[in-house]
């Protein structure tokens, strides 16, 4: 037989090239074994060698020190002791478990040693940084200062900092021949050490064949290294983590969540600018609706445009969605591009961030595309949690609870001790003065991360299904999207039910079951959602997950003690239905009857999960079935299949899956009042074009007079969006008709669409007073009014709206309806004057464009003023109001009976 490895027992030895005879290969095996004999690896011996090499090199630096970093570097590479240390390190299998365990006492040193194996291909900046960090451990304080001074001298020389050390040595060093000779030996013994494609992974193989090569067997493996660090203040100038990665590369290409960029973009830019590192920002939407394969395609195109190199780690900044999208794009780009993960949310910070599982949705299917591609570095900084919505903090905690229940009792106890204060203080970021609590938060994050990666990294490609971190993820994928729940709340329901099954199975006691339930409930997560009443749906979910897991349910649950994991592989349909009913009754006894706080996507300002992954082009079903005419919404059946169903049968069969996506019917609130800024909204309109067109087509068409306004506005190339349009125009007309209004004050005429619509809805003696600030536009509107059939009902005032309203107030004028549609920055002023006495009793106010507080771009002052107006009205005890999602938002505001009574008393 022929082999491409020295022997089967030497599986940690790298392949040494083409196949040769067993005899010659054995000779090479002996040579390799001598250099890679792990039994002789001694950390103390290597550390002693490091002390000698670094100490001697520090003396060389001090002797030759100047501001000429190039001259210093030449002297450094010619230091024999340092050279011997680097040569020895380049021959060691630094990715092996044995090597890692040898340096378990010093993980920072381990990181540097793993990198320095590849010193031939590292930029001078990276080599200097690694050596300076090792010097902190193995040399005197004086030598440490010398090494640090040298590192910054290299950093200040941009050309030298990014130059590969091997090329530098070949051109500048007297020792070039020794370095070249050693590189030649590595080429045969370990090509990774001299010609790596990536310094973060290695591949090995044992390949066997018979003499004529008609039968070949091979065993292959890939070893990947990654580093994780939990630290506060990563964007402070003095923080070295990102600097030491990207300074030697000369730039940083960063994939950033658009919302994160809106909050931290300037801080990120300032950090890299302070270190003179070029920053290329690639900013994308990263809500659940954006987690589509098309987003990955956009990132890939931008990578190409930016010229991202195969060995250049991309920086990904954000939460779980951008982690999945950016990580997947990195896996596809050049088939393997490394990336660094800077986590800004709890889910990414302890789960999605370090995870090897990257993915994207497509054609209505969740996570249908993906790759196993972990980051090379994960950085979690809880300082980012301060700007998270409390609901996002809460749902992220679910991922910590899952690890505590099945992996770490000490973490479980810490969560019990920390309690819901984790949510209120956003992991201690709202009360930084409580350093003890902050330290406990760091430990919670660290322990959750440790438990997760121990479970995940030991099963990197999901080659088996004994996966403790899948606790809470067995049944919930089947109802998370149709329920509209946040992922963490769906996981909460599944953790609770899984714990009950563990109790029912005899795995845990009743006391332990309720202790788990109490922790989930105390963290205000959902234990039971009404969608779980649909047992058919959950049974279908179980069948799907069983198929996905290779024919085994293998549901991870607590077993024996909290912090230990077992697996349930058999739950028949009868047992599923029985235990769900029993579990529901138990949940009713918990606070909120088992419901969570802010449990739906819309409760925290996200689009319902039911929109995930659906592109505006064709769905997969459309492509297979013939396009738009055959389209059927997920969870619904076509007309031929449903025409014989009764109404109740149709609800049960076709519409039940949509019920819980309409969360406002369950009493959930969309956004908490009192926010300083409106939530991010990355669209230019509120409406979907198809919905708008359909609604307009089924609305009474505008009269010829009103339609003429649209024509003239277009002809004169005026800004057409300032018109209310057909749909809203008919709405305004019917509002005055239903109110039987006789007087209307229209603030903001533009070319007259709203004023004319109001006038057409008024009675014979009705009157519309309309105000326009721009004289030229007012002239156009006046001509259109005079040409209409209701010219006698319209009075046009030209000038400042506030001044005109004050005059009308002084004149004692009153109106049944006041319509606000002028300068958005003055809505508060218009509203206050209206409430001072311009309204007739039982009159009301309508504010147009109220939801432009979302539509206008972030940073626009009018966006903020509209938000302030909406907040003011919402908190005004004198009125009640409803904010409609018609066009760009119409808020109807009606003074309360108490207000009118108090006004009458004053009079």
């Amino acid at each position: 037989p022929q082999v491409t490895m020295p022997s089967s027992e030497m599986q940690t030895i790298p392949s040494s090239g083409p196949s040769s005879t067993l005899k010659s290969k054995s000779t090479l095996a002996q040579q390799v074994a001598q250099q890679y004999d792990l039994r002789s690896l001694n950390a103390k011996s290597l550390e002693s060698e490091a002390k000698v090499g670094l100490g001697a090199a520090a003396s060389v630096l001090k002797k030759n020190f100047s501001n000429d970093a190039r001259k210093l570097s030449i002297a450094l590479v010619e230091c024999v002791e340092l050279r011997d240390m680097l040569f020895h390190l380049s021959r060691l299998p630094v990715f092996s478990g044995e090597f890692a365990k040898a340096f378990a006492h010093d993980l920072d040193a381990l990181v540097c040693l793993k990198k320095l194996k590849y010193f031939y291909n590292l930029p001078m900046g990276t080599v200097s940084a690694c050596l300076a960090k090792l010097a902190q451990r193995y040399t005197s304080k004086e030598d440490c200062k010398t090494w640090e001074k040298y590192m910054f001298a290299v950093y200040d020389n941009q050309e030298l900092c990014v130059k590969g050390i091997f090329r530098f040595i070949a051109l500048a060093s007297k020792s070039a021949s020794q370095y070249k000779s050693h590189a030649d030996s590595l080429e045969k013994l370990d090509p990774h050490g001299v010609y790596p494609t990536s310094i973060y992974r290695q591949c090995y193989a044992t390949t066997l064949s018979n003499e004529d090569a008609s039968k070949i067997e091979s065993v292959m493996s890939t070893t990947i290294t990654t580093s994780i660090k939990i630290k506060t203040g990563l964007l402070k100038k003095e923080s070295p983590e990102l600097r030491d990665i990207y300074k030697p590369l000369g730039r940083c290409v960063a994939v950033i969540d658009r919302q994160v960029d809106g909050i931290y973009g300037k801080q990120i830019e300032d950090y890299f600018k302070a270190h003179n590192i070029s920053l290329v920002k690639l900013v994308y939407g990263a809500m659940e609706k954006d987690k589509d394969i098309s987003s990955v395609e956009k990132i890939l195109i931008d990578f190409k445009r930016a010229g991202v190199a195969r060995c250049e780690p991309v920086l990904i900044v954000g939460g779980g969605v951008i982690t999945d999208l950016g990580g997947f794009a990195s896996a596809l780009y050049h088939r393997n591009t490394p990336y660094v993960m800077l986590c800004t949310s709890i889910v990414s910070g302890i789960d999605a961030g370090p995870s090897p599982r990257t993915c994207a949705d497509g054609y209505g299917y969740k996570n249908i595309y993906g790759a196993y591609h972990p980051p090379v570095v994960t950085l979690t900084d809880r300082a980012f949690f301060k700007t998270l919505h409390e609901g996002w903090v809460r749902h992220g905690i679910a991922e910590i609870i899952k690890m505590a229940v099945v992996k770490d009792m000490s973490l479980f106890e810490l969560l019990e001790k920390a309690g819901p204060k984790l949510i209120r203080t956003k992991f201690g970021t709202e009360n930084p003065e409580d350093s003890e609590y902050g330290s406990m938060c760091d430990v919670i994050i660290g322990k959750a991360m440790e438990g997760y990666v121990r479970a995940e990294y030991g099963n990197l490609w999901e080659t088996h299904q004994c996966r403790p971190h899948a606790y809470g993820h067995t049944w919930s994928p089947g109802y998370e999207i149709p329920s509209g729940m946040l992922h963490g709340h769906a996981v909460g329901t599944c953790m609770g039910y899984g714990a009950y099954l563990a109790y029912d199975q005899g795995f845990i006691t009743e006391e332990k079951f309720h202790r788990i339930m109490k922790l989930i409930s105390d963290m205000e997560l959902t234990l039971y959602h009404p969608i779980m009443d649909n047992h058919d749906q959950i049974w279908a979910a179980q069948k799907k997950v069983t198929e996905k897991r290779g024919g085994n349910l293998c549901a991870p649950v607590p077993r024996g003690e909290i912090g230990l994991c077992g697996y349930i592989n058999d739950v028949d349909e009868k047992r599923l239905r029985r235990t769900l009913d029993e579990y529901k009754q138990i949940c009713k006894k918990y606070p909120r009857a088992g419901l969570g706080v802010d449990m739906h996507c819309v409760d925290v300002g996200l689009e319902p999960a039911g929109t995930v992954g659906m592109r505006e082009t064709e769905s997969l079903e459309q492509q297979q079935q013939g396009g738009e005419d055959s389209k059927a919404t997920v969870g619904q059946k076509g007309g031929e299949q449903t025409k014989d169903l009764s109404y109740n049968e149709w609800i049960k069969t076709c519409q039940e899956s949509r019920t819980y996506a309409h969360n406002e019917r369950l009493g959930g609130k969309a956004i908490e009042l009192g926010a300083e800024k409106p939530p991010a909204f990355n669209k230019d309109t509120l409406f979907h074009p198809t919905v708008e067109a359909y609604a307009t087509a089924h609305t009474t068409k505008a009269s010829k007079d009103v339609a003429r306004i649209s024509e003239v506005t277009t002809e004169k190339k005026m800004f057409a969006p300032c018109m209310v349009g057909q749909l809203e125009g008919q709405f305004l007309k019917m509002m005055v008709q239903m109110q039987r209004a006789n007087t209307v004050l229209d603030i903001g005429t533009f070319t007259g669409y709203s004023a004319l619509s109001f006038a057409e809805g008024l009675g014979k003696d009705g009157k519309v007073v309309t105000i326009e600030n721009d004289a030229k536009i007012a002239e156009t509107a006046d001509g259109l009014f005079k040409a209409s059939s209701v010219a006698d009902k319209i009075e046009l005032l030209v000038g400042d709206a506030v001044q005109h309203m004050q005059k009308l107030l002084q004149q004692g004028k009153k109106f049944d309806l006041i319509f606000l549609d002028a300068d958005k920055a003055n809505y508060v002023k218009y509203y206050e004057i209206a409430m001072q006495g311009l309204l007739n009793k039982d009159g009301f106010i309508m504010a147009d464009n109220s939801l432009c507080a979302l539509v206008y771009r972030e940073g626009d002052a009018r966006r903020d003023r509209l938000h302030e107006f909406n907040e003011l009205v919402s908190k005004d005890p004198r009125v009640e109001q409803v904010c409609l999602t018609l066009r760009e938002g119409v808020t109807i505001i009606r003074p309360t009976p108490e207000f009118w009574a108090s006004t009458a008393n004053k009079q």
Side-chain angles (χ1 to χ4, degrees):
Q2 295 180 328
V3 296
T4 58
M5 289 290 291
S7 64
S8 60
E9 67 268 20
M10 294 296 293
Q11 293 184 16
T12 59
I13 311 306
S15 171
S16 55
S19 297
S20 57
T21 64
L22 183 60
K23 182 178 179 181
S24 63
K25 209 62 171 167
S26 297
T27 303
L28 180 60
Q30 294 169 4
Q31 297 172 1
V32 175
Q34 290 174 1
Q35 295 187 9
Y36 286 84
D37 188 357
L38 292 178
R39 289 169 295 182
S40 65
L41 176 63
N42 186 307
K44 290 184 179 180
S45 175
L46 189 56
E47 287 173 336
S48 297
E49 188 176 3
K51 289 176 183 178
V52 171
L54 293 165
S59 299
V60 170
L61 289 173
K62 281 184 274 190
K63 182 179 178 181
N64 295 276
F65 210 90
S66 69
N67 291 324
D68 187 344
R70 186 176 183 278
K71 180 180 177 182
L72 288 171
S73 299
I74 292 172
L76 198 66
V77 297
E78 291 177 353
C79 174
V80 175
E81 293 85 354
L82 182 66
R83 185 184 67 201
D84 288 347
M85 182 195 91
L86 292 173
F87 281 9
H88 183 198
L89 189 57
S90 69
R91 297 195 301 267
L92 291 174
V94 297
F95 281 14
S96 70
E98 291 86 348
F99 189 91
K101 289 173 184 176
F103 286 90
H105 62 287
D106 192 344
L107 298 184
D108 288 325
L110 177 61
V111 171
C112 295
L113 294 171
K114 285 192 291 186
K115 286 184 179 178
L116 286 173
K117 174 185 174 66
Y118 299 98
F119 79 90
Y120 275 110
N121 277 269
L122 295 179
M124 288 294 292
T126 302
V127 173
S128 65
C130 287
L131 293 174
K133 289 174 185 176
L134 288 175
Q136 293 174 2
R137 284 154 178 77
Y138 303 134
T139 66
S140 66
K141 288 184 179 180
E142 183 182 354
D143 285 351
C144 285
K145 290 179 181 179
T146 300
W147 274 107
E148 187 175 273
K149 194 174 178 182
Y150 166 69
M151 180 189 76
F152 283 116
V154 173
Y155 276 8
D156 289 339
N157 186 328
Q158 185 66 20
E159 183 182 357
L160 179 65
C161 185
V162 301
K163 186 183 287 291
I165 190 171
F166 195 19
R167 291 181 178 84
F168 174 77
I169 293 168
L171 292 173
S173 173
K174 296 177 183 177
S175 303
S177 60
Q178 290 96 320
Y179 282 94
K180 177 68 167 62
S181 175
H182 182 68
D184 289 342
S185 68
L186 281 177
E187 185 179 328
K188 295 182 176 65
L189 297 171
D190 185 2
H192 295 103
V194 67
Y195 297 130
T197 306
S198 168
I199 66 170
Y200 303 103
R201 59 174 62 196
Q202 292 185 351
C203 298
Y204 306 100
T206 298
T207 301
L208 307 172
S209 68
N210 59 3
E211 285 193 20
D212 63 359
S214 62
K215 298 178 182 179
I216 301 173
E217 290 292 327
S218 186
V219 177
M220 297 159 282
S221 66
T222 299
T223 306
I224 302 172
T225 184
T226 187
S227 301
I228 298 170
K229 183 170 283 191
I230 299 163
K231 183 179 178 181
T232 302
L234 289 169
L235 292 182
K236 291 181 178 179
K237 180 182 176 181
E238 59 271 20
S239 176
E241 276 72 23
L242 293 171
R243 178 200 69 194
D244 291 346
I245 295 171
Y246 292 104
K247 182 67 177 177
L249 299 176
R251 71 164 183 173
C252 171
V253 178
V255 173
I256 306 178
D257 179 321
R258 182 173 289 120
Q259 283 191 301
V260 173
D261 186 58
I263 301 170
Y264 297 105
K266 180 69 164 54
Q267 199 173 343
I268 293 169
E269 291 169 11
D270 289 347
Y271 177 88
F272 285 99
K273 185 176 181 181
H275 295 292
N276 196 27
I277 302 170
S278 174
L279 175 64
V280 180
K281 284 190 358 179
L282 307 176
V283 181
Y284 307 93
M287 308 296 268
E288 282 294 334
K289 65 184 178 62
D290 299 307
K291 192 181 166 183
D292 184 71
I293 188 65
S294 60
S295 296
V296 177
E297 293 168 351
K298 291 176 185 175
I299 297 172
L300 288 169
I301 291 169
D302 289 341
F303 279 179
K304 182 62 178 174
R305 286 174 177 163
V308 174
R310 190 177 187 180
C311 58
E312 177 183 8
V314 173
L315 176 63
I316 300 176
V317 186
V321 171
I322 202 70
T323 302
D324 284 336
L325 295 174
F328 187 23
S330 298
L332 295 175
Y333 190 71
H334 292 311
R335 292 186 293 276
N336 168 29
T337 298
Y339 67 99
V340 173
M341 188 65 224
L342 178 57
C343 308
T344 63
S345 74
I346 298 170
V347 172
S348 66
I350 56 94
D351 188 298
S355 175
R357 290 175 290 116
T358 64
C359 52
D361 306 327
Y363 301 103
Y365 295 91
K366 192 169 178 64
N367 299 337
I368 190 172
Y369 307 109
Y372 296 101
H373 189 55
V376 296
V377 176
T378 302
L379 301 170
T380 294
D381 182 350
R382 64 182 172 88
F384 288 113
F385 300 171
K386 186 173 183 178
T387 54
L388 295 176
H389 187 292
E390 275 194 11
W392 296 359
V393 176
R394 184 183 297 107
H395 106 94
I397 289 173
E399 301 292 351
I400 301 179
I401 293 175
K402 78 173 183 184
M403 298 315 305
V405 172
V406 294
K407 286 291 287 184
D408 191 341
M409 178 59 173
S410 66
L411 175 59
F412 190 93
E413 291 170 338
L414 280 172
L415 288 171
E416 289 180 317
K417 182 179 179 181
K421 186 178 177 181
L422 283 173
I423 304 165
R424 306 291 173 259
T425 66
K426 299 178 182 179
F427 277 73
T429 59
E430 296 282 10
N431 60 334
E433 67 281 356
D434 189 348
S435 57
E436 183 179 347
Y437 191 78
S439 296
M440 180 167 65
C441 291
D442 282 334
V443 174
I444 287 172
I445 294 169
K447 281 182 169 289
M449 180 86 83
E450 180 190 13
Y452 177 81
V453 298
R454 283 186 183 277
E456 184 84 288
Y457 288 176
N459 188 15
L460 197 62
W461 281 276
E462 289 187 25
T463 50
H464 63 77
Q465 286 301 319
C466 287
R467 303 168 58 239
H469 49 290
Y471 174 53
H473 294 70
T474 298
W475 295 274
S476 60
Y479 55 78
E480 177 181 331
I481 288 179
S483 72
M485 273 191 288
L486 284 161
H487 178 68
H489 284 273
V491 170
T493 63
C494 198
M495 287 193 295
Y497 177 60
Y500 182 66
L501 280 177
Y503 164 63
D504 184 68
Q505 188 96 355
F507 282 3
I508 58 173
T509 64
E510 185 176 8
E511 180 271 331
K512 289 182 175 66
F513 160 62
H514 282 290
R515 189 174 176 184
I516 294 167
M517 292 282 282
K518 184 178 185 301
L519 179 60
I520 299 170
S521 179
D522 286 350
M523 292 300 183
E524 301 169 348
L525 290 163
T526 307
L527 290 169
Y528 192 90
H529 189 282
I531 199 171
M532 296 169 74
D533 290 340
N534 187 342
H535 295 179
D536 290 340
Q537 189 165 8
I538 298 178
W539 175 245
Q542 178 173 307
K543 289 194 289 186
K544 288 178 182 177
V545 80
T546 300
E547 180 182 350
K548 183 178 180 181
R549 293 176 179 176
N552 291 295
L553 178 61
C554 203
V557 294
R559 182 169 188 174
E561 300 290 339
I562 295 174
L564 299 177
C565 186
Y567 299 89
I568 294 177
N569 203 42
D570 294 302
V571 178
D572 60 31
E573 185 175 0
K574 182 178 179 181
R575 183 187 179 195
L576 181 87
R577 294 177 182 276
R578 170 182 63 81
T579 52
L580 280 170
D581 285 337
E582 293 168 353
Y583 178 66
K584 178 181 180 179
Q585 296 307 312
I586 293 169
C587 291
K588 286 181 178 179
K589 299 176 183 178
Y590 277 83
R592 305 174 304 278
L595 295 176
V597 176
D598 290 337
M599 61 183 175
H600 297 105
C601 292
V602 295
D603 296 335
V604 296
L606 299 177
E607 288 194 27
T611 65
V612 170
M614 290 303 295
R615 300 175 67 174
E616 291 185 5
T617 54
E618 293 180 325
S619 69
L620 186 61
E621 288 86 353
Q622 290 172 323
Q623 292 181 357
Q624 293 173 340
Q625 299 170 11
E628 186 68 29
D629 291 341
S630 61
K631 179 177 179 180
T633 304
V634 176
Q636 298 177 331
K637 295 183 179 180
E640 287 302 311
Q641 294 173 291
T642 62
K643 65 181 182 180
D644 295 327
L645 298 177
S646 69
Y647 181 74
N648 286 338
E649 289 171 335
W650 173 75
I651 289 290
K652 176 76 174 174
T653 304
C654 306
Q655 299 297 307
E656 196 169 77
S657 64
R658 298 175 62 241
T659 302
Y660 301 105
H662 294 268
N663 298 300
E664 76 282 358
R665 299 178 190 178
L666 296 176
K669 58 180 186 290
I671 298 290
E672 289 184 359
L673 292 178
E676 183 179 346
K677 300 278 186 182
F681 183 77
N682 302 316
K683 291 184 182 251
D684 293 323
T685 62
L686 295 173
F687 49 82
H688 188 286
T690 304
V691 176
E692 187 79 0
Y694 186 86
T696 301
H698 291 81
T699 296
T700 301
K701 288 182 170 45
S703 68
K704 290 183 180 179
D705 291 339
V706 174
R708 179 61 184 154
I709 292 176
S710 294
E711 293 169 6
V712 171
T713 302
T714 304
E715 288 168 4
K716 293 193 173 187
K717 297 182 178 179
M718 294 178 171
F719 187 59
C722 283
M723 292 187 301
V724 293
Q726 177 187 336
L727 193 65
E728 188 176 350
Q730 182 65 15
F731 172 74
L732 298 179
K733 178 180 177 180
M734 294 187 73
M735 286 297 292
V736 296
Q737 290 173 331
M738 291 186 293
Q739 179 70 5
R740 296 181 180 176
N742 198 48
T743 53
V744 174
L745 177 58
D746 175 39
I747 305 168
T749 312
F750 190 52
T751 50
Y753 205 116
S754 56
L756 201 56
S757 297
F758 282 130
E760 289 185 347
L762 292 173
K764 183 173 60 173
D765 300 323
K767 192 77 171 181
V768 176
V769 177
T770 183
I771 305 172
E772 174 55 45
N773 187 52
D774 189 302
K776 187 175 180 180
I777 294 175
E779 185 180 344
T780 299
D782 190 47
L784 291 164
F785 291 154
K786 288 176 178 177
S788 73
S789 62
V790 289
D792 60 322
K793 294 182 181 180
I794 303 174
E795 178 184 354
L796 175 61
L797 303 178
V798 181
D800 182 77
V802 171
Q803 294 178 9
H804 277 300
M805 290 178 73
Q806 288 171 338
K807 288 179 184 178
L808 293 168
L809 185 62
Q810 292 168 5
Q811 294 167 5
K813 301 288 187 182
K814 291 186 181 291
F815 300 89
D816 299 318
L817 190 160
I818 299 176
F819 185 60
L820 312 184
D821 191 21
D823 182 10
K824 315 309 170 192
N826 286 319
Y827 266 31
V828 170
K829 291 181 181 178
Y830 304 151
Y831 173 71
E832 293 294 0
I833 297 172
M835 291 294 291
Q836 288 171 19
L838 277 178
L839 277 175
N840 270 323
K841 187 177 184 303
D842 297 327
F844 61 100
I845 301 168
M846 294 174 64
D848 197 23
N849 306 114
S850 55
L851 291 179
C852 282
L854 300 176
V855 174
Y856 292 162
R857 297 297 172 92
E858 291 185 59
D860 190 318
R862 285 173 172 78
R863 182 180 200 265
D864 295 337
R865 298 296 84 76
L866 279 171
H867 177 64
E868 290 168 7
F869 168 75
N870 292 334
E871 288 284 313
L872 172 72
V873 173
S874 297
K875 296 173 183 176
D876 191 343
R878 300 173 297 172
V879 300
E880 57 183 358
Q881 71 286 332
V882 59
C883 185
L884 303 177
T885 54
L886 175 68
R887 293 293 294 167
E888 293 181 327
V890 178
T891 299
I892 303 175
I893 307 163
R894 175 182 171 274
T896 63
E898 291 78 14
F899 170 79
W900 292 120
S902 66
T903 302
N905 291 335
K906 289 178 182 178
Q907 293 174 346

